Amino acid sequence: MMKQILFSGVIGLFLTLVGTPLLIKLLARKGYGQYIRDDGPREHASKRGTPTMGGIAFILATVVAYFLSKVITGYPPTYSGLLVLGLMCGMGLVGFLDDYIKIVKRRSLGLRAKAKMAGQLIVGISFAVLALMFPDTHNNTPASTRLSFITDFGWKIGPILFVVWALFMILAMSNGVNLTDGLDGLATGASVLVFGAYTFIGVWQFQESCANAQTLTNPNACFEVRDPLDLAVIASALMGACLGFLWWNTSPAKIFMGDTGSLALGGVLTGLAILSRTELLVAIMGGLFVLITMSVVIQVGSFKLTGKRVFRMAPLQHHFELKGWSEVLVVVRFWIIQGICVIVGLGLFYAGWAAEK
């Protein structure tokens, strides 16, 4: 069964390594280039016209890698896997429409705010509602109405509050990845690290699943996750696909992921967190996305309340650019921060499991 994880990761990597340059040529031929804000760092002016909507590459690669791994190994798709892929594609479609309007229709703000929010709400609500359906033989649905950190805890919040909570997570993480996607390779490299962590978590949860309670040394420390191995297959496909995309997205970037990619990555990361019952843990493992989002919240809040700015520019990565750090220096150091967040998150995950023993 572990072959699925290997195949999905390798196929995802291969497809984006080979497919992304083809997408670059297609987008360049059509003139679908990136719009650059005039109020951003001056060094970014040279990026104007770089092909965008590159998220198409790793979205398609992930979907193909997932299904090909199923065909090769003979294992059927699961409801959890299909739900997470659906969330990724749905959010990616909203981002694609936003990018398309910006580039083709020459409207710098893209989708109207209400239309963009409506699209995200439709996708998010659909995911949340469907995630509470499809119980397996152990009566486990893909998602739970309990909050979760390492596993579920506390009282059930009920389906309505669960949908609200899921929507908040989807919107927050999608915007977090979107804000992080401001420098060449920054969001892509950070995502590779988080998806690698979720590959590990999925494998661990599969090996320690409550479905195998009779063969476990300590059934009290098992995980009640419906399809943990399939979540690992998707995480591996994403890790490989993003790694291959990073080859072309790293400085100097030949292509940008655009909102197509950033919204899709934020959505699928939230989907993995909800269905693996690690909803609060993802805020730690995706700590860089949270940190950058908070820098914008602090900047806007401070300016509205005091008329003063805390940072030279928000999001945070641009603050350090304006302090004189090179783009590559900012990206590498932020990757290190993200790596530390992932290590801390995995440490807490293991410690939580070990504490139950």
Side-chain angles (χ1 to χ4, degrees):
M1 298 181 74
M2 297 299 178
K3 290 181 180 179
Q4 298 178 71
I5 297 173
L6 176 62
F7 284 133
S8 65
V10 172
I11 294 171
L13 173 63
F14 174 78
L15 289 177
T16 47
L17 277 175
V18 175
T20 303
L22 300 178
L23 180 62
I24 292 172
K25 292 179 181 179
L26 175 64
L27 294 172
R29 188 163 61 245
K30 290 183 173 293
Y32 293 173
Q34 177 68 36
Y35 166 81
I36 302 296
R37 290 167 47 189
D38 293 329
D39 58 345
R42 287 176 296 179
E43 293 79 4
H44 289 202
S46 61
K47 301 181 181 184
R48 184 174 284 110
T50 301
T52 188
M53 296 193 290
I56 294 171
F58 56 74
I59 292 172
L60 291 178
T62 300
V63 173
V64 173
Y66 174 79
F67 285 106
L68 272 183
S69 70
K70 296 297 180 182
V71 172
I72 293 171
T73 59
Y75 288 98
T78 67
Y79 287 114
S80 296
L82 295 176
L83 280 170
V84 172
L85 290 178
L87 179 59
M88 176 184 70
C89 293
M91 294 297 289
L93 177 59
V94 175
F96 172 79
L97 293 175
D98 192 39
D99 287 333
Y100 186 82
I101 291 173
K102 285 178 185 175
I103 298 164
V104 178
K105 302 298 183 182
R106 304 295 180 184
R107 198 168 79 201
S108 62
L109 295 179
L111 274 175
R112 306 286 184 192
K114 290 183 179 179
K116 189 173 184 179
M117 178 61 71
Q120 291 175 306
L121 288 176
I122 291 170
V123 174
I125 291 173
S126 299
F127 168 81
V129 171
L130 292 173
L132 295 178
M133 301 180 181
F134 312 112
D136 61 9
T137 54
H138 299 278
N139 206 35
N140 284 324
T141 53
S144 168
T145 55
R146 286 191 171 93
L147 297 178
S148 60
F149 183 56
I150 307 301
T151 57
D152 290 341
F153 69 87
W155 300 97
K156 291 183 178 181
I157 60 176
I160 295 177
L161 285 179
F162 168 77
V163 171
V164 174
W165 169 240
L167 279 175
F168 169 77
M169 288 188 63
I170 292 168
L171 294 175
M173 190 58 71
S174 296
N175 287 323
V177 178
N178 185 254
L179 291 170
T180 303
D181 183 38
L183 301 181
D184 294 354
L186 178 57
T188 310
S191 298
V192 168
L193 295 173
V194 185
F195 292 134
Y198 268 104
T199 303
F200 171 83
I201 287 175
V203 172
W204 193 275
Q205 289 179 332
F206 172 71
Q207 292 176 337
E208 300 295 329
S209 173
C210 293
N212 306 321
Q214 293 180 347
T215 61
L216 298 178
T217 56
N218 184 10
N220 293 326
C222 66
F223 295 97
E224 292 185 355
V225 177
R226 190 190 190 283
D227 305 297
L229 187 64
D230 222 34
L231 298 179
V233 172
I234 291 177
S236 177
L238 282 160
M239 179 175 62
C242 287
L243 194 59
F245 182 76
L246 183 61
W247 181 270
W248 306 101
N249 182 233
T250 194
S251 184
K254 304 297 182 185
I255 188 170
F256 300 137
M257 70 170 68
D259 281 13
T260 305
S262 60
L263 294 187
L265 289 180
V268 74
L269 181 55
T270 306
L272 289 171
I274 292 173
L275 301 196
S276 66
R277 315 292 171 84
T278 56
E279 296 164 2
L280 299 180
L281 184 64
V282 75
I284 297 173
M285 292 203 299
L288 180 64
F289 306 134
V290 176
L291 178 65
I292 287 176
T293 302
M294 290 307 300
S295 72
V296 175
V297 173
I298 292 171
Q299 183 85 326
V300 173
S302 175
F303 186 76
K304 286 187 174 181
L305 291 174
T306 67
K308 297 181 180 179
R309 293 180 173 86
V310 176
F311 307 105
R312 295 188 180 185
M313 186 177 179
L316 188 62
Q317 62 268 34
H318 299 317
H319 167 79
F320 289 102
E321 277 192 292
L322 294 179
K323 287 191 67 175
W325 291 20
S326 69
E327 181 175 1
V328 173
L329 181 62
V330 175
V331 170
V332 172
R333 286 183 173 173
F334 276 38
W335 281 351
I336 293 172
I337 292 172
Q338 181 58 56
I340 293 171
C341 292
V342 166
I343 291 171
V344 171
L346 287 176
L348 290 172
F349 176 80
Y350 178 78
W353 173 81
E356 294 294 329
K357 296 186 68 176

